Amino acid sequence: MKITLKPLHQQVIVLTGASSGIGLVTARKAAEQGATLVLAARSEEALQHLTQEITDAGGRATYVVADVSKDADVRHLAQVAIDTYGGFDTWINNAGVSMYGKLEEQPVADMRALFDTNVWGVVVGSLEAVKHLKGRSGGGALINVGSILSESTAILQSIYSASKHAVKGFTDGLRMELGMDEAPVSVTLIKPSAIDTPYPLHAKNYMDREAQHAPPAYAPDLVANAILHCCVTPTPEVTVGGGGKLITTMARHTPRLLDLFMEKVFAKQEKADYPPRPLAENGLDRPSGQLQERGNYVGHTRETSLYTAAALNPLTTAAVLAGGAALLAFWASSRRSGTHSAAADNASEQPDGLAGYYDGLRRW
């Protein structure tokens, strides 16, 4: 199997969820580097403005109003790319929606709607992409945007977390099947940490306070850079943000400690200190993209991530792995000395101490 990915300036890229956040930043960066874009979202006005912005700057772009929860819209998107540009080289499944609140208080109908976008939109989009890319000279790239919640669960975002688990399972399985068939298609799962985008503001919120990201939050530019790296470099998986990597590592090695942190600390950090928007104002039920890159995060947004930079650079990945080994050694030592046991025993009385423990870990 030989995968030959073109330079970015020679590529046609299909991008869903292009009207805000990660998708918007990715579109702008790809256009700056010369890629031709087929942009998709539900918000036609936003897509019109973005397409005009790109073409006014000398780039090439077209748009398709598409709701990825509808199979026909996804198939139409692929056909427009083929009819307009003769095909595409990279397909990025980025569109997604979220929901905050306790599972027992959320209608199952909303859960199904979320899965229709986050899971079935990715499944149908991936299959459309692969059908085209397998027959393309040199193949191409399929990039699915998952989350660190593909491997862990954020309390009060449980159904979103479940959908991202499904995206990871599907993406990994598709990658293996294409490898078994020696198909020239690179399949990548991008796993962002908390990213300072309008994500919390577009979510359907059943909580008693407005939703916000828990720290640390990273700039969407970091995710866009990782996505564009994978457009030209076959890469199975990328985690964006060292804080998110620590969450998934804790989920694997110290799950009870992570549970306690979620219950005692994280659940409070997800709630802003002001009331929520009206429930009807959400991106699950209607289009919400308005060409906004950033959201309502009140802390310091991290514009860089040493972990992600190292993960994308083979020359320094060894240093990251060494850091991870040192972290695990620290955990093992703490467990032997009883530190973790004490933290677990005292977490209910000392949530601030548990937050401080996590704060120290996430600086890695």
Side-chain angles (χ1 to χ4, degrees):
M1 175 181 65
K2 182 172 178 58
I3 302 173
T4 306
L5 302 181
K6 298 177 181 177
L8 209 59
H9 69 274
Q10 295 179 12
Q11 287 201 25
V12 175
I13 297 175
V14 177
L15 171 63
T16 70
S19 61
S20 70
I22 291 169
L24 175 59
V25 178
T26 301
R28 286 171 168 162
K29 285 180 173 287
E32 288 172 0
Q33 297 183 49
T36 297
L37 293 162
V38 182
L39 306 168
R42 293 173 295 168
S43 308
E44 183 166 18
E45 183 178 359
L47 289 173
Q48 288 176 334
H49 286 304
L50 178 59
T51 301
Q52 190 66 50
E53 172 191 316
I54 291 171
T55 55
D56 285 350
R60 289 209 306 169
T62 190
Y63 74 86
V64 178
V65 178
D67 181 343
V68 300
S69 70
K70 300 176 180 177
D71 296 0
D73 282 15
V74 178
R75 297 189 178 103
H76 175 63
L77 172 61
Q79 194 59 51
V80 169
I82 293 168
D83 292 344
T84 306
Y85 298 114
F88 51 88
D89 305 285
T90 295
W91 181 293
I92 303 168
N93 284 311
N94 168 71
V97 292
S98 189
M99 191 157 57
Y100 284 78
K102 292 182 178 179
L103 289 168
E104 293 176 299
E105 298 172 358
Q106 296 172 353
V108 172
D110 282 353
M111 298 181 186
R112 291 185 187 278
L114 184 146
F115 262 67
D116 282 343
T117 294
N118 290 8
V119 179
W120 293 112
V122 169
V123 169
V124 176
S126 296
L127 296 177
E128 284 296 310
V130 166
K131 180 171 63 176
H132 174 73
L133 293 174
K134 286 175 71 172
R136 199 163 177 82
S137 177
L142 167 65
I143 300 172
N144 290 338
V145 178
S147 170
I148 63 160
L149 303 181
S150 297
E151 298 184 58
S152 56
T153 296
I155 193 171
L156 303 180
Q157 296 180 62
S158 299
I159 198 65
Y160 175 82
S161 302
S163 75
K164 292 302 182 178
H165 275 67
V167 167
K168 176 173 170 55
F170 169 79
T171 303
D172 288 347
L174 181 60
R175 181 191 304 110
M176 288 186 285
E177 290 182 11
L178 292 171
M180 180 174 62
D181 293 342
E182 298 187 350
V185 181
S186 170
V187 178
T188 300
L189 180 67
I190 302 288
K191 299 185 298 183
S193 303
I195 306 297
D196 182 14
T197 70
Y199 164 94
L201 300 174
H202 293 171
K204 195 163 189 178
N205 183 8
Y206 286 94
M207 301 191 302
D208 59 352
R209 312 299 289 174
E210 185 58 87
Q212 66 179 18
H213 280 310
Y218 297 84
D221 303 67
L222 299 180
V223 188
N225 291 339
I227 289 172
L228 296 181
H229 171 88
C230 297
C231 288
V232 298
T233 307
T235 309
E237 192 170 282
V238 179
T239 298
V240 180
K245 180 62 176 177
L246 287 173
I247 287 287
T248 60
T249 304
M250 290 175 71
R252 180 175 299 178
H253 296 284
T254 57
R256 183 54 187 147
L257 183 63
L258 181 59
D259 283 357
L260 287 170
F261 171 73
M262 287 286 170
E263 295 162 13
K264 305 298 181 181
V265 179
F266 193 90
K268 297 176 182 177
Q269 294 176 331
E270 290 180 290
K271 296 182 179 182
D273 60 0
Y274 49 90
R277 292 157 290 116
L279 185 61
E281 296 180 11
N282 70 84
L284 180 65
D285 297 328
R286 58 186 51 83
S288 54
Q290 299 176 339
L291 297 188
Q292 293 175 290
E293 294 185 357
R294 303 293 177 104
N296 65 334
Y297 184 62
V298 296
H300 170 69
T301 298
R302 300 191 178 193
E303 303 293 332
T304 61
S305 167
L306 293 177
Y307 170 80
T308 303
L312 294 175
N313 185 342
L315 296 179
T316 53
T317 297
V320 175
L321 294 177
L327 178 63
L328 292 177
F330 165 74
W331 278 342
S333 175
S334 297
R335 290 174 70 89
R336 286 194 298 270
S337 65
T339 302
H340 277 75
S341 176
D345 290 343
N346 297 327
S348 59
E349 288 121 31
Q350 301 179 23
D352 291 340
L354 187 55
Y357 176 81
Y358 170 71
D359 184 66
L361 292 180
R362 77 183 185 209
R363 294 179 186 278
W364 171 66

